[in-house]
Amino acid sequence: QVQLVESGGGLVQAGGSLRLSCAASGRTISNYAVGWFRQAPGKEREFVISIRRSGSNTYSADSVKGRFTINRDNAKNSVYLQMDSLKPEDTAVYYCAASFSGYIGTTWHGYDYWGQGTQVTVSS
């Protein structure tokens, strides 16, 4: 199975940027579609953005379109989430998740493996 570790979270002012990394080990990440989810305190985990195994297609939530992008570097066995124009409502723990079936949808249980999460806090 694949192990996922997120990094790159932190505190940023509104309007700023962060780049999250999802590093895979145990298996090559090129065999998996990857999604990012987030969970704010007291709220359910929600889909953010995803990318196919090939990297040819991405799919994002309306709330982040035009601000967040996802890309993968299979040579580095990693997937990245670039977050620009951050808003206070983007504050959450961000998780990357891998799908062996290639699922890139919005439902969290469509993904097989999860990282431990990284905290992103956006101050106003």
Side-chain angles (χ1 to χ4, degrees), residues 24 30 32 74 86 92-93 113:
S30 62
Y32 301 83
N74 290 336
L86 282 161
V93 177
Y113 304 101

Side-chain angles (χ1 to χ4, degrees), residues 9-89:
L11 173 64
V12 64
Q13 288 189 330
S17 298
L18 279 176
R19 186 189 190 217
L20 305 184
S21 299
C22 175
S25 62
R27 292 287 188 271
T28 177
I29 205 168
S30 62
N31 291 332
Y32 301 83
V34 175
W36 286 91
F37 286 72
R38 65 187 181 186
Q39 188 166 19
K43 294 188 177 181
E44 293 187 353
R45 189 169 299 190
E46 67 170 351
F47 171 80
V48 177
I49 197 167
S50 60
I51 188 167
R52 292 196 183 279
R53 283 181 283 228
S54 65
S56 59
N57 293 95
T58 64
Y59 179 54
S60 58
D62 288 343
S63 59
V64 306
K65 278 181 179 173
R67 300 189 299 122
F68 290 13
T69 56
I70 186 172
N71 69 287
R72 60 194 307 154
D73 187 339
N74 290 336
K76 294 184 177 180
N77 222 25
S78 296
V79 173
Y80 305 98
L81 173 59
Q82 178 67 41
M83 304 187 294
D84 298 318
S85 302
L86 282 161
K87 305 175 181 180
E89 51 263 42

